[in-house]
Amino acid sequence: ALVRDGVNGRLVEPEDPAAYADAIASYAGDRVALAAASRAGQDFAAGFVWDDINQTVLDTYVSVAAGHR
């Protein structure tokens, strides 16, 4: 998962605006938690190699397109 709840972000139910607002408020009210989540997100993203990701996306598109010929 890209977001690890309480580590590099918060997970909320998609149709729950109150939970979404609470998640935002929790970071707005706690600069230490915000900084920790930000650092964790940056560390996690640093592990990705964008050339590899782009190639995977391109390969997927090519595969899907080949199936529709």
Side-chain angles (χ1 to χ4, degrees), residues 3-48:
V3 176
R4 293 172 293 163
D5 192 37
V7 176
N8 64 348
R10 297 287 307 273
L11 295 174
V12 298
E13 293 298 322
E15 299 294 326
D16 190 347
Y20 185 67
D22 288 344
I24 293 170
S26 73
Y27 284 127
D30 186 346
R31 307 292 275 167
V32 172
L34 174 62
S38 178
R39 275 192 308 276
Q42 291 170 357
D43 291 346
F44 183 70
F48 290 98

Side-chain angles (χ1 to χ4, degrees), residues 1 5 9 14 25 27-29 32-33 40 45 47-48 51 54-55 57-60 65-66:
D5 192 37
Y27 284 127
V32 172
F48 290 98
D51 287 343
N54 292 334
Q55 188 63 55
V57 170
L58 178 61
D59 292 346
T60 301

